Amino acid sequence: QLHEIYEELYIPIFERTSTYVLLGAVIVGLIMLYFLIKKLRGTPPTSWELAERRLKALEQRKLIAREQYKQWYSELCLLMRDYFCGQYGWLIQDKTDQELLAFLEHEGFNSILLTELREIFEGANLVKFANQSALATQVVIDARKARQILVATQPQIDAKKKV
């Protein structure tokens, strides 16, 4: 009888070395793709960084008419509310100015910063409700106060995270 020297032997797909090599290459490729996408997206900006950008944009505006001052103060007040909400997780968007100040006082917010915030809200009320035109100097002063509040409440970065 004649026998074949080489037997044709079927090896199931999951018993082949090439299958595992290919599977490993796909997994490594997916992991690399994940980290590449993560790196390209970067980390989202913090609430402090967002507030800083918005305040810079407000400071650069040229204001002429009373309506522009109203809009400017509305955006400044909204900026401060959004910042406190994002930074501290306080749900305060629906609070009036007085309710917000009372809430911050109850939370033990810095009294000096609270006074500055109160002055910003008073300037906003003068422009929005009393129809008095805000002086350009008052806008600059209130922008400085808002910046002082942001700087004073800026989160501290760990030395480990910086590296």
Side-chain angles (χ1 to χ4, degrees), residues 91-129:
L91 301 176
I92 55 174
Q93 277 91 359
D94 60 341
K95 295 188 183 302
T96 65
D97 295 346
Q98 296 306 317
E99 289 173 339
L100 174 59
L101 292 170
F103 175 81
L104 292 175
E105 190 172 357
H106 179 265
E107 289 292 319
F109 196 69
N110 184 316
S111 60
I112 296 169
L113 299 177
L114 191 61
T115 302
E116 290 181 354
L117 186 63
R118 182 175 286 117
E119 291 171 2
I120 291 172
F121 287 156
E122 287 170 2
N125 286 332
L126 286 176
V127 173
K128 289 191 288 189
F129 300 115

Side-chain angles (χ1 to χ4, degrees), residues 34-85:
Y34 169 77
F35 284 112
L36 179 66
I37 290 173
K38 188 175 179 180
K39 183 179 178 180
L40 290 177
R41 282 189 186 164
T43 57
T46 64
S47 58
W48 188 88
E49 292 168 335
L50 290 173
E52 176 72 17
R53 289 180 199 163
R54 287 172 60 188
L55 184 58
K56 271 185 186 173
L58 278 176
E59 289 173 332
Q60 293 174 352
R61 281 199 193 158
K62 303 292 182 204
L63 305 173
I64 298 169
R66 181 171 33 97
E67 291 302 317
Q68 290 174 324
Y69 285 105
K70 286 182 181 182
Q71 181 67 29
W72 189 89
Y73 270 108
S74 294
E75 290 182 29
L76 180 65
C77 292
L78 182 62
L79 180 155
M80 297 308 291
R81 288 173 194 280
D82 290 345
Y83 171 67
F84 289 134
C85 182

